[in-house]
């Protein structure tokens, strides 16, 4: 039954009347309709899916949003996608976010899905915004690249969810002029019409069938009307098969003598690389691999990987193994699965027949990490959790604890990489300790005794002391440090030169050992290995000297930095001592206010805002405005706790002041039935504002 309805759906013209008529052919039971849609989505049949979906919407049938997780990628028309996001039921926001996470949508589809998910949460279901929605939107905002079909939905989403990070990112990257007007048009032309009518973007009449995309070849030979009919009936052609052949001519294909349907029935026989790249995902999934040659199978597998159909590619390799000429799409499958986070696919295909000779170390690091992660890698999970905790603190030393743990623990090489990054956010007085630990770790790992990051540290250090070179002692200390730097550079140069000489000698030794010498061994040229031994001994000596110079230089640098720090501190103390005592801002504010009163239960009041209250405070931080609006609501409702800390202005007892955070103040009047909002200001402007309001 489902196959008949699906076939009927594919052939149904895409027009409002035919879709409404087709709605009567859908299964009357909602569970049966749900099963039909699930089957169509699983088969990637976009032609049937679009028509069944829109017909169901036109008849007010229930369609579960879970079908959009895979089905959204089949809705190439943004109008159809908007209708689906608006008229499906269930956890629409989660389905749309998961559709984006599937990575089968293009950027324009992703932008519309994320906006629709945010709109569903805010406008329809009053649900909290999932953190993943903001995460996905911020990732997509980095890829806008001047495309209005991506930018405008993200601008509209930022306005809906009021996330400061997303708003800032979208504003800094958008190229849309007059974004407010464009968002209004987006609602009025894209969103609102399909909310009222899911068939808004469907034509009233289906376009006439046409042929495009290929050169038409006649499905029947050219025959004169009065010629004998080729069927052998003895009748004239016009009296026999002409009507049947006219129908065949209307369906002519690119293959002479065959109709479009006949070509489709054996399409693998006539397939070209261009055909595969031009076919829809549904058509690709219906191809019979066994009827294609290897070149086309290779291209088909790559195309399926590109479109995110990793499961189909994995099943092919599981059934057929991995031949040498199909190694490239197999590698692409594993790399794409790693990027998509599909660990189970990697483990299913990594050791298939034909892959034993492939060096697994050639895979990217993300693949090798997944191969070595059995899901219980507690050490790696702990590192990730610790890194996340440190980043959330955002105290300027996010990586330090992690760096020291790695340097001293089981992951020293990783620790060096993390520590280099930590130096950028570490205070100057602590950088030496971190660099010293890096150098010690390099010694443990038998690496060269200096780290490339030291050059950056030296640059930062020289910049920091440029303005403090005032005393003769400091100048001499810096000269000693510069001399020690030159010694270190000279030793590095010698070490590099000796290493090069050893490398050349070893190559020469190997070359001579590998040569087949025809003469007697005693007559072969002697190779002086003593020289190599002496060179290696010299290198070990230089490494020791370099290490000593490093220690001396670090000690000099540390002492100089401490001296600079003490000098800077002394200057600050001297400057503070000559500064006139500044008045306490808190006391200045209290002088303008009367003592706090006892606020009992207050009546409900209607808040009255000054004209353009919000517009005049656009420069204030969003959290301050949000706090102020929430406070005004509580004051208007008569909440006694909202009046706690409220004080009257000494020069005008009608005016009340309430704190909004540490730096901002709300001025208002509390009448019998209204709450008159005067202004929201920074506390430093309080005295001036009181005078202007009182005046």
């Amino acid at each position: 039954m489902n196959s008949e309805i699906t076939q009927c759906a594919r052939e149904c013209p895409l027009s409002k009347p035919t879709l409404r008529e087709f709605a009567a052919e859908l299964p009357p039971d909602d569970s049966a309709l749900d099963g039909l849609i699930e089957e169509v989505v699983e088969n990637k049949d976009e032609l049937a899916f679009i028509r069944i979906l829109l017909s169901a919407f036109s008849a007010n049938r229930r369609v579960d949003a879970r079908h959009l997780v895979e089905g959204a990628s089949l809705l190439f028309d943004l109008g159809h996608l908007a209708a689906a996001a608006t008229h499906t039921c269930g956890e629409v926001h989660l389905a749309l976010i998961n559709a984006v996470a599937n990575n089968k949508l293009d950027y324009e589809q992703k932008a519309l899905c994320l906006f629709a998910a945010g709109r569903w949460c805010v406008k329809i279901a009053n649900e909290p915004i999932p953190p993943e929605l903001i995460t996905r939107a911020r990732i997509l905002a980095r890829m806008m690249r001047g495309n209005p079909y991506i930018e405008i939905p993200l601008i509209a989403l930022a306005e809906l969810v009021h996330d400061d990070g997303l708003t800032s990112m979208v504003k800094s990257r958008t190229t849309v002029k007059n974004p407010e007007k464009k968002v209004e048009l987006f609602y009025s032309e894209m969103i609102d019409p399909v909310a009222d009518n899911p068939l808004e973007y469907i034509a009233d009449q289906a376009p006439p069938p046409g042929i495009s995309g290929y050169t038409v070849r006649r499905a029947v030979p050219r025959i004169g009307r009065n010629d004998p009919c080729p069927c052998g009936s003895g009748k004239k052609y016009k009296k026999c098969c002409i009507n049947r052949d006219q129908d065949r001519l209307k369906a002519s294909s690119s293959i002479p003598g065959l109709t479009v349907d006949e070509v489709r029935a054996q399409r693998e026989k006539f397939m070209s690389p261009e055909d595969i790249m031009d076919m829809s995902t549904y058509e690709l999934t219906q191809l019979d691999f066994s009827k294609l040659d290897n070149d086309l199978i290779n291209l088909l597998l790559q195309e399926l990987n590109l479109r995110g159909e990793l499961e189909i590619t994995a099943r092919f390799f599981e059934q057929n193994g991995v031949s040498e000429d199909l190694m490239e799409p197999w590698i692409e499958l594993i790399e794409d699965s790693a990027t998509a986070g599909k660990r189970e696919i990697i483990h299913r295909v990594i050791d298939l027949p034909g892959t034993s000779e492939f060096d697994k170390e050639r895979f990217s690091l993300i693949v090798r990490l997944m191969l070595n992660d059995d899901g219980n890698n507690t050490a790696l999970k702990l590192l990730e959790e610790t890194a996340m905790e440190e980043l959330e603190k955002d105290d300027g030393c996010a990586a330090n604890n992690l760096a020291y743990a790695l340097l001293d623990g089981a992951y020293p090489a990783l620790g060096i990489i993390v520590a280099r990054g930590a130096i950028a956010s570490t205070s100057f007085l602590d950088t030496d300790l971190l660099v010293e630990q890096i150098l010690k770790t390099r010694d443990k790992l038998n690496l060269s005794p200096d780290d490339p990051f030291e050059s950056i540290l030296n640059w930062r250090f020289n910049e920091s002391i440029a303005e403090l070179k005032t005393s003769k002692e400091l100048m001499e200390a810096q000269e000693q440090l510069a001399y020690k730097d030159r010694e270190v550079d000279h030793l590095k140069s010698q070490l590099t030169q000796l290493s090069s000489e050893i490398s050349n000698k070893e190559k020469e030794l190997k070359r001579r050992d590998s040569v087949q010498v025809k003469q007697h061994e005693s007559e072969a040229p002697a190779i002086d290995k003593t020289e190599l031994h002496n060179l290696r001994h010299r290198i070990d000596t230089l490494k020791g000297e370099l290490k000593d110079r490093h220690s001396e230089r670090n000690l000099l640098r540390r002492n100089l930095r401490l001296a600079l720090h003490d000098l800077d501190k002394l200057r600050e103390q001297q400057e503070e001592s000559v500064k006139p005592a500044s008045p306490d801002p808190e006391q200045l504010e209290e002088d303008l206010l009367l003592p706090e009163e006892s606020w009992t239960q207050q009546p409900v009041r209607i808040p009255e805002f000054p004209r353009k209250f919000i517009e005049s405070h656009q420069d204030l931080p969003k959290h301050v405005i949000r706090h102020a609006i929430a406070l005004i609501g509580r004051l208007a409702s008569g909440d006694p706790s909202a009046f706690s800390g409220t004080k009257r202005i000494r020069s005008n007892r009608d005016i009340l002041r309430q704190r909004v955070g540490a730096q901002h103040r709300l001025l208002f009047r509390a009448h019998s039935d209204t709450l008159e909002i005067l202004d929201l200001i920074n506390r430093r402007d309080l005295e001036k504002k009181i005078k202007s309001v009182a005046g």
Side-chain angles (χ1 to χ4, degrees):
M1 180 65 180
N2 279 357
S3 59
E4 295 176 5
I5 297 176
T6 302
Q7 184 60 35
C8 185
R10 287 196 206 101
E11 297 171 355
C12 176
L14 202 60
S15 68
K16 289 176 182 174
T18 54
L19 289 175
R20 292 192 179 108
E21 290 175 10
F22 179 67
E25 304 295 326
L26 298 176
D29 180 62
D30 281 347
S31 61
L33 175 61
D34 190 79
L36 172 64
I37 295 174
E38 187 169 354
E39 181 182 314
V40 169
V41 171
E42 187 177 347
N43 290 333
K44 318 293 181 188
D45 191 343
E46 70 262 25
L47 294 179
F49 178 63
I50 292 168
R51 287 156 176 77
I52 292 173
L53 201 66
L54 295 176
S55 295
F57 292 154
S58 71
N60 294 320
R61 299 291 300 275
R62 187 185 189 283
V63 177
D64 196 290
R66 78 177 194 283
H67 298 303
L68 296 181
V69 176
E70 294 290 336
S73 62
L74 306 177
L75 300 171
F76 302 108
D77 188 293
L78 295 180
H80 300 163
L81 183 56
T86 305
H87 292 276
T88 47
C89 306
E91 296 184 321
V92 178
H93 61 316
L94 298 182
L96 292 171
I97 293 171
N98 288 333
V100 173
N102 263 349
N103 214 26
K104 296 181 183 179
L105 306 179
D106 61 31
Y107 291 153
E108 296 174 3
Q109 290 173 306
K110 287 181 178 180
L112 184 56
C113 281
L114 292 174
F115 164 78
R119 178 176 177 273
W120 187 88
C121 292
V122 175
K123 300 286 189 182
I124 299 174
N126 196 24
E127 287 275 346
I129 302 295
E132 190 179 357
L133 173 61
I134 303 300
T135 301
R136 297 282 173 187
R138 287 173 61 178
I139 292 171
L140 186 60
R142 297 184 183 278
M143 305 174 184
M144 294 193 300
R145 297 173 184 172
N147 187 334
Y149 291 100
I150 303 173
E151 292 186 27
I152 294 172
L154 290 182
I155 294 171
L157 176 62
E159 290 180 359
L160 274 176
V161 300
H162 301 297
D163 180 78
D164 293 341
L166 178 60
T167 301
S168 172
M169 184 175 294
V170 169
K171 281 186 176 180
S172 66
R173 293 172 181 272
T174 184
T175 59
V176 173
K177 296 181 180 178
N178 300 321
E180 295 84 2
K181 184 177 180 181
K182 296 294 175 60
V183 168
E184 287 179 12
L185 287 173
F186 172 66
Y187 275 102
S188 62
E189 295 182 0
M190 172 67 77
I191 304 303
D192 295 338
V194 294
D196 299 329
N197 178 12
L199 302 185
E200 177 65 28
Y201 296 115
I202 305 300
D204 293 323
Q205 186 175 359
I211 296 173
S212 63
Y214 58 86
T215 302
V216 178
R217 309 294 184 189
R218 293 177 62 92
V220 293
R222 194 179 300 277
I223 304 170
R225 291 172 55 84
N226 293 314
D227 292 343
C229 186
C231 72
S233 65
K235 299 179 182 179
K236 290 185 178 181
Y237 182 54
K238 65 182 179 182
K239 297 290 187 180
C240 190
C241 296
I242 189 170
N243 292 332
R244 183 199 66 184
D245 286 352
Q246 288 299 317
D247 292 337
R248 285 180 60 81
L249 279 174
K250 292 177 183 177
S252 294
S253 68
S254 59
I255 308 299
L258 297 177
T259 64
V260 172
D261 289 338
E262 289 168 347
V263 170
R264 283 176 179 165
Q266 47 183 331
R267 53 190 164 182
E268 292 86 357
K269 181 179 178 181
F270 306 104
M271 194 70 61
S272 69
E274 292 74 18
D275 293 332
I276 287 180
M277 289 186 286
D278 291 341
M279 291 173 79
S280 67
T281 303
Y282 166 68
E283 290 174 316
L284 291 178
T285 60
Q286 302 303 306
L287 291 175
D288 186 344
F289 283 94
S290 64
K291 296 180 180 179
L292 296 171
D293 61 37
N294 278 355
D295 288 341
L296 290 180
I297 291 176
N298 194 314
L299 180 60
L300 174 57
L301 291 172
Q302 291 183 43
E303 195 68 23
L304 289 170
N305 285 336
L306 187 63
R307 301 190 193 192
E309 299 299 335
L310 307 177
E311 180 61 35
I312 297 175
T313 311
R315 285 203 300 266
F316 169 82
F317 284 121
E318 285 177 316
Q319 294 168 5
N320 300 279
V322 185
S323 60
E324 186 176 350
D325 51 348
L326 296 180
M327 188 65 72
E328 186 175 345
W330 173 75
I331 295 171
E332 288 178 0
L333 169 63
I334 292 175
E335 295 286 353
D336 292 344
S337 297
T339 305
K342 297 184 181 295
R343 181 187 289 107
E344 71 284 355
I345 290 183
I346 295 176
H347 285 287
R348 278 165 50 191
V349 303
I350 192 66
D351 291 318
L352 290 175
T355 64
S356 57
E357 298 298 322
F358 182 79
D359 182 8
K360 304 298 191 293
E361 294 301 315
R362 288 172 53 191
F363 284 123
S364 65
L365 179 59
I366 185 174
V367 173
R368 286 182 279 135
L369 285 173
M370 282 193 172
L371 289 174
N372 288 281
D373 182 6
D374 59 359
N376 298 311
N377 198 329
T378 52
L380 191 58
K381 287 181 180 178
L382 179 60
L383 286 174
E384 177 65 17
E385 290 169 4
T386 304
M388 192 64 196
E389 289 171 5
E390 295 294 336
L391 288 172
E392 286 174 346
K393 290 177 187 175
D394 198 21
D395 58 1
C397 301
N400 276 28
N401 292 340
L402 186 59
Y404 281 114
L406 292 168
L407 288 167
D408 292 332
Y411 307 99
L414 179 61
I416 291 175
I417 301 298
V418 174
R420 287 175 177 175
I423 287 175
S425 59
T426 302
S427 67
F428 259 164
L429 290 177
D430 294 330
T431 50
D432 276 336
L433 298 175
L434 196 54
V435 170
E436 188 171 342
Q437 190 63 33
I438 290 176
L439 297 177
K440 288 179 180 177
T441 306
R442 292 183 69 90
D443 292 337
K444 290 179 187 177
L445 298 176
N446 198 26
L447 298 171
S448 62
D450 60 289
D451 192 87
F453 216 79
E454 281 191 287
S455 59
I456 298 175
L457 186 64
N458 287 337
W459 176 81
R460 284 186 62 192
F461 180 75
N462 291 330
E463 287 287 312
S464 69
I465 66 174
E467 298 178 0
L468 296 174
K469 296 186 294 185
T470 55
S471 70
K472 182 179 179 182
E473 290 79 5
L474 286 177
M475 292 286 288
E476 290 176 352
Q478 191 184 9
E479 287 176 4
Q480 290 179 14
L481 182 59
Y483 175 75
K484 198 61 65 176
D485 282 340
R486 288 193 293 273
E487 280 190 340
V488 168
D489 290 340
H490 178 65
L491 287 172
K492 283 183 185 178
S493 175
Q494 285 186 296
L495 194 59
T496 302
Q497 185 177 351
L498 283 174
S499 298
S500 177
E501 286 184 30
I502 283 184
S503 177
N504 292 335
K505 293 285 184 184
E506 287 177 339
K507 287 179 182 177
E508 177 66 16
L509 188 60
K510 287 180 181 178
R511 187 186 67 80
R512 293 188 182 185
D513 285 344
S514 63
V515 172
Q516 298 277 335
V517 184
K518 294 183 179 179
Q519 62 194 99
H520 192 270
E521 186 176 355
S522 60
E523 299 174 3
I527 300 172
D528 187 5
K529 296 186 179 180
T530 306
E531 187 178 353
L532 272 178
H533 175 75
N534 292 337
L535 285 173
R536 290 194 183 101
H537 177 71
R538 178 60 180 151
I539 278 187
D540 292 338
T541 304
L542 281 175
K543 284 183 177 179
E545 291 180 22
L546 185 57
K547 205 169 177 182
D548 293 340
R549 298 300 180 277
H550 266 301
S551 300
E552 293 170 6
R553 183 181 64 175
N554 289 341
L555 180 60
L556 281 170
R557 184 189 289 149
R558 191 176 301 113
N559 292 336
L560 181 56
R561 181 169 289 143
L562 288 171
L564 289 171
H565 178 69
D566 293 340
L567 178 61
D568 197 30
K569 207 169 182 181
L570 182 62
R571 284 183 175 179
E572 287 179 2
Q573 291 172 355
Q574 290 174 345
E575 290 172 0
E576 289 293 328
S577 64
V578 299
K579 279 184 181 177
S582 57
D584 181 13
E586 194 71 29
Q587 187 58 47
L588 286 176
E589 182 176 356
E590 290 300 319
D591 292 342
L592 300 172
L593 307 172
L594 292 171
E596 186 175 355
E597 305 173 22
S598 175
W599 297 93
T600 57
Q601 184 67 38
Q602 297 292 312
V604 175
R605 299 179 173 93
I606 304 300
E608 294 181 346
F609 292 89
R611 187 169 173 267
K612 294 187 176 179
F613 176 77
I614 296 295
E615 291 84 345
S616 61
H617 294 86
Q618 288 293 337
D619 294 337
L620 291 179
K622 296 293 184 185
H623 70 274
V624 173
I625 298 177
R626 195 178 297 119
H627 184 175
I629 296 298
L631 174 63
I632 292 168
R634 291 170 57 215
L635 292 169
S637 69
D639 182 359
S641 64
F643 285 85
S644 176
T646 299
K647 295 185 178 182
R648 296 185 184 277
I649 302 300
R650 190 179 294 277
S651 60
N652 191 329
R653 293 177 55 87
D654 289 342
I655 301 176
L656 301 173
R657 181 232 67 175
Q658 180 58 297
R659 295 172 179 271
V660 180
Q663 298 296 325
H664 293 83
R665 303 292 183 260
L666 178 70
L667 299 180
F668 63 96
R669 289 190 177 99
H671 303 293
S672 59
D673 56 356
T674 60
L675 190 75
E676 180 188 358
I677 307 302
L678 299 176
D679 208 347
L680 175 63
I681 60 172
N682 192 293
R683 76 173 187 175
R684 66 172 177 268
D685 302 324
L686 182 61
E687 185 176 6
K688 187 186 348 179
K689 187 64 182 179
I690 288 173
K691 290 178 180 178
S692 67
V693 172

